[in-house]
Amino acid sequence: MKKAAVAAALVVLVGGAYLGATAYTGHRIAAAYDARVAKLEQQLPFLRVVDRQTDKGLFSSTYSGSVRIGCVPDAAGGKAGKPLLIGFRDQVRHGPLPGFAGFGAAVIESQIVLPDEVPEPLRKYLAGMKPQDIRTAVGYGGDYKTALRLPAGDYALPAGQLSWPEVHATGSGRLDASASAFEGHLPEIAFRGTDNADAKGLNFKLVNLRWQGANKGEGNFWLRPGTSSMEIERLELLGDSGGKAISAQVGKIKYLTELGADKDLLNAKATITADATLQIGADAKPIQLDNIEFQESIKRLHGPTLQKVLDASMAELSTCGAGGEPAVDSAARGQEMLRMLAQLLPYAPEISVDKLALSYEGQRGELSYAVSAPGLTAKDIEAPGALQGKLQQNLVLRADAKLPVAWVEQLGTRGGDAAGAAQRVAQANTMLDLAIGKGFVVRDGDHVTSKVLVERGAILINDKPFGGR
């Protein structure tokens, strides 16, 4: 009898502890949910969560409402737009054993409801998703992981048919938005064009798109240090232009972005590599471009100033004007944005194409450039009328190019009909000889090179003053 009483007491004790833990978890999740919404609205002013409803229970809660997205212009007649409302419903099962599917603070299953103005096929597509297709597991440490499954689709458009297989993606991070990561895979997406005047025989296919990224830090998530990447096995395009068959294939596409921070200064870099084949005309020789490389950098962007620019830009997106009238005076807004952007100049930002290179017919060409205006002060930007002169005075431009001589003949041959090819090649060689004679380019074996430096009003071309001065 005593053993039975002890066992009963233990059951009551454990049950009470579990109920207490569940209630505590429910309060924590509710608080975290509210904080997340508040931070989202702060960082993206054109988004607002409206019509919120909460149904709290001991073991589960339901949060629903709509996300109001800025002012969407009316495509018909240039009328003033109206906000777009996207509905949501989050079913939250509280821990410590949410749904008895594992240990954690909560499991959230989300559904999205599109408004009536969205095309019916798209509304039906999202309405057909199951609750578990968007599922988020939340840990007690404030971490989360979301798994997304998009079902296969076949979507009819006026110009053709768009189709894709099942898509999977994941996201993870911290509920306080101090860190996030994502990755996903789209096996294929294809467009089969209808045979009409707008898209005659147009077919497009993207194969094996993979993406991933991560960032962390305080402040706006647009400006947090991190990396993101995307890879595409190949893009294919088949179509018709003016009676000529066109085909293009771009493969081995890799895209990488990096954002770093040195105190308040941000440095961003984007890199793209790929191969490409282009053919215009069924009987034409394909143009093969190999090992395409493009790298662009932006250095020394002042984060707090850029944040002000972003805030102002996004706030404008949430404002709807009266019927037929703009929400704000566009000229005044343009001047204000220029004034704000000018405040970046004292930090000597630099934009550059670090490399643009490709190989064609076995020959490789490269070019690069960088532009900055160092030395400007906060006082210089106080007088907008004199700023342009200051910019010209402080401008620094560096550019380098190295191109194969053989490209002159190859491009001349392809530049028109076969009968005039010899004449076009001769003309191109004459222009090249003239440029060499003027000192604009320098012959370097099988290549021609050119180097330009503009600094504080002086221009050097291949290390010599422009115009011989």
Side-chain angles (χ1 to χ4, degrees):
M1 187 69 183
K2 291 183 178 180
K3 291 182 179 180
V6 171
L10 286 174
V11 169
V12 171
L13 181 62
V14 171
Y18 181 79
L19 293 176
T22 302
Y24 169 73
T25 300
H27 288 304
R28 283 193 61 185
I29 293 299
Y33 196 94
D34 291 340
R36 184 84 171 182
V37 169
K39 193 161 190 176
L40 176 70
E41 293 182 336
Q42 178 188 9
Q43 295 190 351
L44 300 176
F46 59 90
L47 294 183
R48 284 291 181 269
V49 178
V50 297
D51 303 325
R52 291 183 62 186
Q53 297 182 28
T54 303
D55 182 9
K56 294 183 180 179
L58 180 58
F59 295 103
S60 67
S61 299
T62 301
Y63 299 88
S64 61
S66 296
V67 177
R68 187 179 67 198
I69 304 177
C71 183
V72 181
D74 188 340
K79 298 178 182 179
K82 62 179 182 179
L84 176 66
L85 292 174
I86 298 179
F88 68 90
R89 184 177 185 274
D90 291 339
Q91 182 69 38
V92 182
R93 296 197 299 272
H94 306 149
L97 297 173
F100 297 96
F103 181 79
V107 169
I108 305 171
E109 292 181 343
S110 303
Q111 290 181 292
I112 299 173
V113 180
L114 296 179
D116 291 341
E117 55 264 34
V118 173
E120 184 179 6
L122 184 55
R123 283 190 282 119
K124 286 184 175 180
Y125 173 78
L126 284 182
M129 292 179 62
K130 301 175 182 178
Q132 60 266 31
D133 286 342
I134 308 177
R135 174 177 284 178
T136 301
V138 181
Y140 276 104
D143 56 300
Y144 71 88
K145 184 172 183 178
T146 299
L148 169 67
R149 186 195 75 90
L150 293 176
D154 200 6
Y155 189 73
L157 297 169
Q161 198 77 12
L162 187 67
S163 60
W164 61 92
E166 191 172 286
V167 180
H168 291 269
T170 62
S172 60
R174 304 279 303 172
L175 285 178
D176 62 4
S178 62
S180 64
F182 58 88
E183 62 179 327
H185 177 218
L186 170 62
E188 182 178 296
I189 184 168
F191 174 78
R192 300 181 300 279
T194 54
D195 203 8
N196 59 40
D198 295 327
K200 186 176 181 181
L202 176 64
N203 291 280
F204 170 83
K205 181 185 289 186
L206 179 151
V207 180
N208 271 334
L209 166 63
R210 298 181 185 275
W211 64 91
Q212 63 179 3
N215 59 57
K216 61 181 180 179
E218 301 297 327
N220 193 295
F221 64 87
W222 296 111
L223 304 178
R224 287 206 299 258
T227 62
S228 64
S229 65
M230 179 180 68
E231 294 188 15
I232 301 174
E233 183 178 320
R234 69 180 184 277
L235 292 173
E236 300 174 0
L237 177 65
L238 295 173
D240 182 281
S241 176
K244 287 187 176 181
I246 295 177
S247 68
Q249 180 169 299
V250 184
K252 301 178 183 178
I253 303 170
K254 294 184 178 180
Y255 176 67
L256 172 67
T257 62
E258 302 172 82
L259 179 62
D262 181 7
K263 296 182 180 178
D264 284 340
L265 298 182
L266 304 174
N267 300 301
K269 182 170 67 175
T271 305
I272 302 174
T273 59
D275 295 328
T277 303
L278 175 65
Q279 184 174 357
I280 302 177
D283 299 326
K285 181 182 177 182
I287 299 172
Q288 179 67 41
L289 305 177
D290 297 314
N291 195 17
I292 302 169
E293 295 181 84
F294 176 79
Q295 180 176 302
E296 183 179 27
S297 298
I298 302 178
K299 301 174 183 176
R300 296 184 297 276
L301 286 176
H302 187 239
T305 299
L306 191 59
Q307 181 66 63
K308 293 178 183 178
V309 175
L310 288 174
D311 289 345
S313 300
M314 290 187 292
E316 183 178 337
L317 295 176
S318 64
T319 306
C320 296
E325 298 180 0
V328 295
D329 185 298
S330 57
R333 168 54 69 185
Q335 291 296 321
E336 176 64 16
M337 293 301 295
L338 287 175
R339 186 192 67 79
M340 295 177 68
L341 286 169
Q343 296 176 24
L344 295 168
L345 295 174
Y347 301 93
E350 178 186 271
I351 181 170
S352 63
V353 171
D354 306 314
K355 177 185 275 191
L356 174 57
L358 59 88
S359 295
Y360 171 64
E361 295 287 347
Q363 300 285 334
R364 189 160 185 80
E366 293 187 18
L367 64 84
S368 62
Y369 70 83
V371 181
S372 63
L376 292 172
T377 66
K379 186 176 181 180
D380 291 331
I381 65 175
E382 290 177 358
L387 181 57
Q388 184 174 354
K390 288 284 187 180
L391 278 171
Q392 293 176 346
Q393 180 182 347
N394 289 50
L395 177 69
V396 177
L397 166 65
R398 293 182 174 87
D400 292 272
K402 183 177 182 180
L403 304 175
V405 176
W407 283 8
V408 175
E409 181 174 345
Q410 291 160 353
L411 296 178
T413 301
R414 289 180 174 273
D417 59 280
Q423 182 179 356
R424 291 193 302 272
V425 171
Q427 291 173 343
N429 280 319
T430 299
M431 295 297 293
L432 178 60
D433 291 339
L434 181 62
I436 293 174
K438 292 287 187 179
F440 296 148
V441 298
V442 176
R443 183 72 180 253
D444 182 12
D446 294 332
H447 292 77
V448 289
T449 65
S450 184
K451 182 168 60 175
V452 178
L453 173 63
V454 178
E455 187 170 18
R456 300 190 181 281
I459 303 176
L460 297 179
I461 298 180
N462 297 315
D463 299 322
K464 295 181 181 180
F466 178 65
R469 297 193 301 272

